[in-house]
Amino acid sequence: MSLAALLKARIRATGPISVADFMAECLGHPEHGYYTTRDPLGASGDFTTAPEISQMFGELIGLALAQSWLNQGAPAPFTLAELGPGRGTLMADILRATRGVPGFHAGLRLHLVETSPVLRAVQRRALDGVDLTHLDTVDALPDMPLWLVANEFFDALPIRQFVRAAGLWRERVVGLADGALAFGLAGPSAPEELATRSDVADGGLVEICPAARVAMDEIAARIAAHGGAALVIDYGDWRSLGDTLQAVQGHAPTDPLAAPGAADLTAHVDFEALALAAPGLAASALTPQGVFLERLGITQRARALADRLDGPALDAHIAAHRRLTHPDEMGNLFKVLGLVPAGAPMLPGLVS
Ligand code: SAH
Protein backbone atom coordinates (compact mmCIF):
# COMPACT_ATOMS: atom_id res chain seq x y z
CA MET A 1 0.00 0.00 0.00
CA SER A 2 1.30 3.50 -0.84
CA LEU A 3 1.75 6.14 1.86
CA ALA A 4 -1.14 8.14 0.34
CA ALA A 5 -3.42 5.11 0.72
CA LEU A 6 -2.23 4.49 4.29
CA LEU A 7 -2.87 8.12 5.24
CA LYS A 8 -6.33 8.10 3.67
CA ALA A 9 -7.25 4.92 5.54
CA ARG A 10 -6.06 6.46 8.80
CA ILE A 11 -8.05 9.67 8.19
CA ARG A 12 -11.17 7.67 7.31
CA ALA A 13 -10.80 5.68 10.53
CA THR A 14 -9.85 8.39 13.04
CA GLY A 15 -10.39 11.78 11.37
CA PRO A 16 -8.19 14.56 10.00
CA ILE A 17 -4.54 14.74 11.11
CA SER A 18 -2.40 17.78 11.96
CA VAL A 19 0.03 19.18 9.38
CA ALA A 20 2.78 18.03 11.78
CA ASP A 21 1.53 14.42 11.73
CA PHE A 22 1.28 14.57 7.94
CA MET A 23 4.81 15.97 7.62
CA ALA A 24 6.23 13.44 10.09
CA GLU A 25 4.71 10.53 8.16
CA CYS A 26 5.84 11.87 4.77
CA LEU A 27 9.43 12.41 5.90
CA GLY A 28 9.96 9.70 8.50
CA HIS A 29 7.56 6.78 7.85
CA PRO A 30 9.67 3.65 8.48
CA GLU A 31 8.82 2.12 5.10
CA HIS A 32 7.72 4.98 2.81
CA GLY A 33 9.26 8.12 4.39
CA TYR A 34 11.10 10.53 2.11
CA TYR A 35 14.31 10.47 4.19
CA THR A 36 13.96 6.81 5.15
CA THR A 37 14.13 5.62 1.58
CA ARG A 38 16.70 7.77 -0.26
CA ASP A 39 19.62 10.18 -0.45
CA PRO A 40 17.77 13.28 -1.67
CA LEU A 41 20.77 15.58 -2.13
CA GLY A 42 22.70 16.74 -5.17
CA ALA A 43 22.09 17.14 -8.88
CA SER A 44 20.42 13.71 -9.23
CA GLY A 45 18.30 14.25 -6.11
CA ASP A 46 15.62 16.78 -5.23
CA PHE A 47 17.65 19.64 -3.77
CA THR A 48 21.17 20.77 -2.96
CA THR A 49 22.63 22.43 0.13
CA ALA A 50 25.44 24.85 0.98
CA PRO A 51 28.05 22.21 1.95
CA GLU A 52 27.38 20.39 -1.35
CA ILE A 53 27.94 23.64 -3.28
CA SER A 54 31.45 24.40 -1.98
CA GLN A 55 34.00 23.12 0.53
CA MET A 56 34.44 26.73 1.70
CA PHE A 57 31.16 26.58 3.66
CA GLY A 58 32.31 23.71 5.93
CA GLU A 59 35.87 24.98 6.21
CA LEU A 60 34.79 28.38 7.55
CA ILE A 61 32.23 26.84 9.90
CA GLY A 62 34.87 24.41 11.20
CA LEU A 63 37.24 27.25 11.98
CA ALA A 64 34.46 29.29 13.63
CA LEU A 65 33.57 26.34 15.90
CA ALA A 66 37.23 25.66 16.75
CA GLN A 67 37.85 29.35 17.56
CA SER A 68 34.79 29.35 19.83
CA TRP A 69 36.16 26.22 21.56
CA LEU A 70 39.52 27.97 22.09
CA ASN A 71 37.74 31.10 23.37
CA GLN A 72 36.05 29.01 26.07
CA GLY A 73 39.32 27.50 27.28
CA ALA A 74 39.51 24.42 24.99
CA PRO A 75 37.67 22.01 27.32
CA ALA A 76 38.37 18.32 26.64
CA PRO A 77 36.77 15.95 26.09
CA PHE A 78 33.87 17.69 24.37
CA THR A 79 31.06 16.69 22.03
CA LEU A 80 31.25 17.85 18.43
CA ALA A 81 27.75 17.28 17.06
CA GLU A 82 25.90 17.75 13.83
CA LEU A 83 22.14 17.47 13.41
CA GLY A 84 20.95 16.00 10.09
CA PRO A 85 24.38 15.66 8.46
CA GLY A 86 23.05 14.69 5.00
CA ARG A 87 25.94 13.24 3.01
CA GLY A 88 28.53 14.00 5.70
CA THR A 89 30.15 16.65 3.49
CA LEU A 90 29.90 19.50 6.02
CA MET A 91 31.47 17.41 8.78
CA ALA A 92 34.24 16.13 6.50
CA ASP A 93 35.11 19.76 5.61
CA ILE A 94 34.92 20.82 9.28
CA LEU A 95 37.32 18.04 10.30
CA ARG A 96 39.77 18.74 7.47
CA ALA A 97 39.86 22.49 8.19
CA THR A 98 40.45 22.01 11.94
CA ARG A 99 43.25 19.42 11.71
CA GLY A 100 45.83 22.06 12.61
CA VAL A 101 44.02 23.34 15.73
CA PRO A 102 46.04 21.96 18.67
CA GLY A 103 43.99 19.59 20.83
CA PHE A 104 40.73 19.94 18.86
CA HIS A 105 40.73 16.52 17.22
CA ALA A 106 42.16 14.78 20.29
CA GLY A 107 39.42 16.29 22.48
CA LEU A 108 36.37 15.87 20.28
CA ARG A 109 33.82 13.05 20.51
CA LEU A 110 31.87 13.11 17.24
CA HIS A 111 28.09 12.55 17.42
CA LEU A 112 25.77 12.69 14.42
CA VAL A 113 22.02 12.92 14.97
CA GLU A 114 20.44 11.20 11.98
CA THR A 115 17.33 9.08 11.56
CA SER A 116 17.76 7.97 7.95
CA PRO A 117 19.49 4.60 7.56
CA VAL A 118 20.35 5.47 3.95
CA LEU A 119 22.07 8.72 4.93
CA ARG A 120 23.79 7.12 7.95
CA ALA A 121 25.56 4.79 5.51
CA VAL A 122 26.53 7.69 3.22
CA GLN A 123 27.89 9.60 6.25
CA ARG A 124 30.00 6.64 7.37
CA ARG A 125 31.56 6.48 3.90
CA ALA A 126 32.24 10.25 3.80
CA LEU A 127 33.85 10.08 7.26
CA ASP A 128 35.76 6.85 6.68
CA GLY A 129 38.31 6.26 9.45
CA VAL A 130 36.67 8.76 11.83
CA ASP A 131 35.40 7.49 15.17
CA LEU A 132 31.72 8.54 15.32
CA THR A 133 28.45 7.73 17.06
CA HIS A 134 25.06 7.97 15.37
CA LEU A 135 22.10 9.02 17.52
CA ASP A 136 18.36 9.03 16.77
CA THR A 137 17.55 12.07 18.87
CA VAL A 138 19.21 15.10 20.45
CA ASP A 139 18.36 14.01 24.00
CA ALA A 140 20.86 11.14 23.64
CA LEU A 141 23.81 13.58 23.32
CA PRO A 142 26.35 13.13 26.14
CA ASP A 143 26.40 15.43 29.16
CA MET A 144 29.59 17.30 28.19
CA PRO A 145 30.65 20.61 26.66
CA LEU A 146 28.93 20.74 23.28
CA TRP A 147 29.83 22.44 20.01
CA LEU A 148 26.98 21.80 17.60
CA VAL A 149 26.09 22.69 14.01
CA ALA A 150 22.78 22.21 12.19
CA ASN A 151 22.46 23.20 8.53
CA GLU A 152 19.02 22.69 7.00
CA PHE A 153 17.96 20.42 9.86
CA PHE A 154 15.30 22.43 11.69
CA ASP A 155 13.39 23.08 8.43
CA ALA A 156 12.74 19.33 8.16
CA LEU A 157 11.03 19.09 11.56
CA PRO A 158 7.22 18.81 11.50
CA ILE A 159 5.28 22.03 12.03
CA ARG A 160 1.73 22.67 13.20
CA GLN A 161 -0.19 25.49 11.54
CA PHE A 162 -2.84 27.68 13.17
CA VAL A 163 -5.16 30.20 11.54
CA ARG A 164 -6.57 33.17 13.48
CA ALA A 165 -10.35 33.25 13.07
CA ALA A 166 -12.60 35.69 14.94
CA GLY A 167 -9.99 36.11 17.66
CA LEU A 168 -9.56 32.33 18.15
CA TRP A 169 -6.95 29.89 16.81
CA ARG A 170 -7.99 26.96 14.61
CA GLU A 171 -5.50 24.30 13.59
CA ARG A 172 -5.00 23.56 9.90
CA VAL A 173 -5.42 19.82 9.32
CA VAL A 174 -5.19 17.30 6.50
CA GLY A 175 -8.46 15.49 5.82
CA LEU A 176 -10.33 14.13 2.82
CA ALA A 177 -12.45 15.87 0.17
CA ASP A 178 -13.99 13.73 -2.57
CA GLY A 179 -11.60 10.92 -1.61
CA ALA A 180 -8.47 13.07 -2.03
CA LEU A 181 -6.19 14.52 0.67
CA ALA A 182 -7.24 18.13 1.36
CA PHE A 183 -6.50 20.88 3.86
CA GLY A 184 -9.19 21.91 6.34
CA LEU A 185 -9.55 23.62 9.72
CA ALA A 186 -10.21 22.01 13.10
CA GLY A 187 -12.28 23.58 15.87
CA PRO A 188 -10.89 26.35 18.11
CA SER A 189 -7.89 25.58 20.34
CA ALA A 190 -5.46 27.63 22.44
CA PRO A 191 -1.88 26.36 22.14
CA GLU A 192 0.44 27.82 24.79
CA GLU A 193 3.05 28.81 22.15
CA LEU A 194 0.60 31.24 20.57
CA ALA A 195 -0.22 33.13 23.76
CA THR A 196 2.31 35.84 22.74
CA ARG A 197 1.08 36.17 19.15
CA SER A 198 -1.49 38.92 19.55
CA ASP A 199 0.36 40.56 16.59
CA VAL A 200 -1.45 38.25 14.16
CA ALA A 201 -4.53 39.70 12.44
CA ASP A 202 -7.67 37.71 11.62
CA GLY A 203 -7.03 35.31 8.76
CA GLY A 204 -3.27 35.19 9.55
CA LEU A 205 -1.49 31.84 9.78
CA VAL A 206 1.23 31.00 12.29
CA GLU A 207 3.45 27.93 12.42
CA ILE A 208 4.89 26.30 15.52
CA CYS A 209 7.46 23.52 15.65
CA PRO A 210 7.17 21.51 18.88
CA ALA A 211 10.05 19.18 17.90
CA ALA A 212 12.41 22.15 17.44
CA ARG A 213 11.57 23.38 20.93
CA VAL A 214 12.29 19.99 22.46
CA ALA A 215 15.62 19.71 20.59
CA MET A 216 16.75 23.26 21.54
CA ASP A 217 15.86 22.65 25.16
CA GLU A 218 18.18 19.59 25.23
CA ILE A 219 21.00 21.45 23.46
CA ALA A 220 20.70 24.54 25.67
CA ALA A 221 20.78 22.47 28.87
CA ARG A 222 24.17 20.98 27.91
CA ILE A 223 25.71 24.26 26.72
CA ALA A 224 24.50 26.17 29.80
CA ALA A 225 25.83 23.51 32.18
CA HIS A 226 29.17 22.63 30.54
CA GLY A 227 29.98 25.31 27.94
CA GLY A 228 29.88 25.16 24.16
CA ALA A 229 28.00 26.75 21.29
CA ALA A 230 25.26 26.02 18.77
CA LEU A 231 25.32 27.28 15.20
CA VAL A 232 22.01 27.00 13.36
CA ILE A 233 21.82 27.77 9.64
CA ASP A 234 18.53 27.58 7.80
CA TYR A 235 16.02 29.48 5.79
CA GLY A 236 13.46 31.37 7.78
CA ASP A 237 13.24 34.51 9.83
CA TRP A 238 12.63 36.04 13.24
CA ARG A 239 9.01 35.31 14.24
CA SER A 240 7.22 33.14 11.72
CA LEU A 241 4.17 34.45 9.91
CA GLY A 242 2.31 32.88 7.02
CA ASP A 243 2.16 29.46 5.37
CA THR A 244 5.73 28.35 4.55
CA LEU A 245 5.09 24.63 4.10
CA GLN A 246 6.67 23.66 0.80
CA ALA A 247 7.26 20.53 -1.22
CA VAL A 248 10.15 20.05 -3.64
CA GLN A 249 10.67 17.19 -6.03
CA GLY A 250 13.37 17.05 -8.73
CA HIS A 251 14.53 20.61 -7.87
CA ALA A 252 10.99 21.99 -8.61
CA PRO A 253 8.14 23.02 -6.28
CA THR A 254 5.15 20.68 -6.10
CA ASP A 255 1.86 20.35 -4.17
CA PRO A 256 2.62 19.14 -0.59
CA LEU A 257 -0.40 16.78 -0.68
CA ALA A 258 0.25 15.37 -4.17
CA ALA A 259 2.72 12.56 -3.53
CA PRO A 260 3.26 11.77 0.18
CA GLY A 261 6.75 10.38 0.80
CA ALA A 262 8.04 11.21 -2.70
CA ALA A 263 8.69 14.96 -2.24
CA ASP A 264 10.80 16.78 0.34
CA LEU A 265 8.65 18.79 2.77
CA THR A 266 10.09 21.75 4.66
CA ALA A 267 8.94 24.87 6.49
CA HIS A 268 10.77 28.07 7.31
CA VAL A 269 12.48 28.13 10.68
CA ASP A 270 11.18 30.55 13.31
CA PHE A 271 14.50 31.62 14.85
CA GLU A 272 12.81 33.61 17.61
CA ALA A 273 11.16 30.40 18.81
CA LEU A 274 14.58 28.67 18.84
CA ALA A 275 16.12 31.50 20.89
CA LEU A 276 13.14 31.47 23.28
CA ALA A 277 13.64 27.71 23.78
CA ALA A 278 17.18 28.43 25.03
CA PRO A 279 16.52 31.06 27.73
CA GLY A 280 19.77 30.29 29.59
CA LEU A 281 21.95 31.11 26.56
CA ALA A 282 22.95 34.33 24.81
CA ALA A 283 21.65 34.49 21.22
CA SER A 284 23.43 36.30 18.40
CA ALA A 285 21.70 38.77 16.13
CA LEU A 286 20.05 36.77 13.33
CA THR A 287 22.57 37.19 10.50
CA PRO A 288 22.22 36.59 6.75
CA GLN A 289 24.40 33.69 5.56
CA GLY A 290 26.21 35.95 3.06
CA VAL A 291 27.20 38.44 5.77
CA PHE A 292 28.30 35.62 8.10
CA LEU A 293 30.52 34.00 5.46
CA GLU A 294 32.01 37.34 4.41
CA ARG A 295 32.92 38.12 8.02
CA LEU A 296 34.61 34.72 8.29
CA GLY A 297 36.75 35.53 5.25
CA ILE A 298 35.11 33.61 2.39
CA THR A 299 36.44 36.09 -0.19
CA GLN A 300 40.06 35.55 0.86
CA ARG A 301 39.53 31.78 0.92
CA ALA A 302 37.85 31.89 -2.50
CA ARG A 303 40.82 33.82 -3.94
CA ALA A 304 43.33 31.34 -2.51
CA LEU A 305 41.43 28.40 -4.02
CA ALA A 306 40.97 30.24 -7.35
CA ASP A 307 44.75 30.56 -7.75
CA ARG A 308 44.92 26.79 -8.27
CA LEU A 309 42.02 26.59 -10.76
CA ASP A 310 41.34 27.48 -14.37
CA GLY A 311 38.74 26.83 -17.13
CA PRO A 312 35.39 25.29 -16.16
CA ALA A 313 36.62 24.44 -12.63
CA LEU A 314 37.38 28.12 -12.01
CA ASP A 315 33.99 29.18 -13.44
CA ALA A 316 32.22 26.68 -11.18
CA HIS A 317 34.18 27.89 -8.16
CA ILE A 318 33.26 31.54 -8.83
CA ALA A 319 29.60 30.57 -9.30
CA ALA A 320 29.65 28.60 -6.02
CA HIS A 321 31.06 31.59 -4.10
CA ARG A 322 28.31 33.79 -5.53
CA ARG A 323 25.62 31.22 -4.81
CA LEU A 324 26.56 30.95 -1.14
CA THR A 325 26.87 34.68 -0.49
CA HIS A 326 24.94 36.82 -2.99
CA PRO A 327 21.69 38.35 -1.64
CA ASP A 328 19.82 37.19 -4.77
CA GLU A 329 20.92 33.59 -4.19
CA MET A 330 21.40 31.92 -0.76
CA GLY A 331 23.09 34.93 0.88
CA ASN A 332 19.98 36.53 2.30
CA LEU A 333 17.38 33.75 2.28
CA PHE A 334 19.48 31.68 4.66
CA LYS A 335 20.06 32.97 8.17
CA VAL A 336 22.53 32.11 10.92
CA LEU A 337 21.84 32.05 14.67
CA GLY A 338 24.58 31.46 17.23
CA LEU A 339 23.97 30.49 20.86
CA VAL A 340 26.61 30.50 23.62
CA PRO A 341 26.53 30.48 27.44
CA ALA A 342 25.56 33.88 28.89
CA GLY A 343 28.76 35.92 29.25
CA ALA A 344 30.85 33.79 26.85
CA PRO A 345 32.33 35.30 23.65
CA MET A 346 29.94 35.05 20.68
CA LEU A 347 30.91 32.74 17.79
CA PRO A 348 33.14 34.36 15.14
CA GLY A 349 31.12 35.93 12.31
CA LEU A 350 28.20 36.79 14.61
CA VAL A 351 27.46 39.60 17.05
CA SER A 352 25.45 39.50 20.26
N1 SAH B 1 22.76 19.15 6.73
C1 SAH B 1 22.82 18.49 5.45
C2 SAH B 1 21.53 17.80 5.05
C3 SAH B 1 20.24 18.57 5.10
S1 SAH B 1 18.84 17.55 4.69
C4 SAH B 1 23.29 19.44 4.39
O1 SAH B 1 23.36 20.63 4.66
O2 SAH B 1 23.60 19.01 3.29
C5 SAH B 1 18.14 17.17 6.28
C6 SAH B 1 18.92 16.16 7.09
O3 SAH B 1 18.24 15.97 8.33
C7 SAH B 1 19.01 14.77 6.48
O4 SAH B 1 20.26 14.21 6.86
C8 SAH B 1 17.85 14.04 7.14
O5 SAH B 1 17.93 12.65 7.08
C9 SAH B 1 17.93 14.59 8.53
N2 SAH B 1 16.71 14.54 9.31
C10 SAH B 1 15.48 14.95 8.93
N3 SAH B 1 14.59 14.82 9.95
C11 SAH B 1 15.30 14.34 11.00
C12 SAH B 1 14.94 14.01 12.35
N4 SAH B 1 13.70 14.16 12.81
N5 SAH B 1 15.92 13.54 13.16
C13 SAH B 1 17.20 13.40 12.71
N6 SAH B 1 17.57 13.70 11.45
C14 SAH B 1 16.64 14.15 10.60
Side-chain angles (χ1 to χ4, degrees):
M1 210 192 266
S2 70
L3 185 54
L6 287 170
L7 289 170
K8 285 180 193 171
R10 173 173 163 191
I11 292 166
R12 257 183 231 110
T14 57
I17 59 175
S18 69
V19 172
D21 279 352
F22 176 75
M23 212 172 152
E25 292 286 15
C26 289
L27 295 178
H29 187 279
E31 198 184 332
H32 304 288
Y34 179 76
Y35 281 113
T36 326
T37 52
R38 78 199 73 208
D39 169 5
L41 289 143
S44 58
D46 289 315
F47 61 93
T48 192
T49 57
E52 302 298 330
I53 291 169
S54 168
Q55 69 188 70
M56 296 186 289
F57 184 78
E59 290 170 351
L60 294 168
I61 285 173
L63 294 173
L65 291 172
Q67 185 62 53
S68 165
W69 175 75
L70 291 170
N71 289 346
Q72 290 185 42
F78 71 98
T79 305
L80 178 65
E82 184 177 355
L83 310 184
R87 286 185 172 166
T89 309
L90 174 57
M91 189 48 71
D93 292 336
I94 288 173
L95 293 176
R96 194 184 60 256
T98 53
R99 254 190 327 229
V101 180
F104 192 71
H105 280 215
L108 72 83
R109 306 287 177 267
L110 183 59
H111 287 79
L112 305 178
V113 177
E114 174 61 70
T115 40
S116 160
V118 177
L119 289 173
R120 279 188 180 197
V122 178
Q123 290 155 18
R124 283 212 180 273
R125 279 201 296 281
L127 299 166
D128 191 28
V130 178
D131 198 6
L132 66 86
T133 306
H134 271 125
L135 303 174
D136 284 326
T137 50
V138 173
D139 62 310
L141 284 169
D143 248 333
M144 282 204 282
L146 169 64
W147 271 264
L148 175 141
V149 62
N151 184 59
E152 290 209 48
F153 168 77
F154 284 99
D155 66 11
L157 299 184
I159 48 139
R160 297 174 69 183
Q161 296 184 318
F162 291 87
V163 176
R164 191 130 175 120
L168 300 169
W169 294 106
R170 295 181 63 187
E171 182 157 16
R172 197 168 179 229
V173 290
V174 178
L176 293 174
D178 298 329
L181 294 171
F183 287 113
L185 288 180
S189 60
E192 178 205 329
E193 290 93 333
L194 296 181
T196 56
R197 297 303 304 265
S198 50
D199 58 308
V200 181
D202 242 26
L205 185 151
V206 179
E207 298 173 338
I208 62 176
C209 186
R213 221 164 76 140
V214 171
M216 265 325 294
D217 186 56
E218 294 286 343
I219 293 164
R222 285 160 182 76
I223 294 175
H226 309 291
L231 190 57
V232 179
I233 307 131
D234 227 307
Y235 56 130
D237 226 319
W238 197 257
R239 189 167 283 208
S240 140
L241 185 62
D243 175 15
T244 72
L245 179 69
Q246 60 171 1
V248 168
Q249 196 173 6
H251 295 266
T254 176
D255 174 355
L257 302 183
D264 186 33
L265 294 182
T266 58
H268 283 199
V269 172
D270 182 348
F271 285 96
E272 182 189 42
L274 289 186
L276 287 173
L281 303 183
S284 73
L286 189 63
T287 305
Q289 173 174 300
V291 172
F292 173 68
L293 294 174
E294 286 302 342
R295 286 185 186 150
L296 293 179
I298 194 169
T299 299
Q300 292 89 320
R301 180 69 184 132
R303 286 211 187 100
L305 287 170
D307 284 345
R308 289 183 251 150
L309 300 170
D310 54 20
L314 179 59
D315 294 344
H317 171 63
I318 292 168
H321 178 206
R322 183 187 148 89
R323 195 153 168 213
L324 289 180
T325 56
H326 197 281
D328 293 341
E329 306 230 13
M330 298 175 82
N332 205 29
L333 181 62
F334 280 77
K335 305 286 196 304
V336 186
L337 181 73
L339 295 159
V340 293
M346 187 38 74
L347 285 142
L350 300 172
V351 290
S352 299

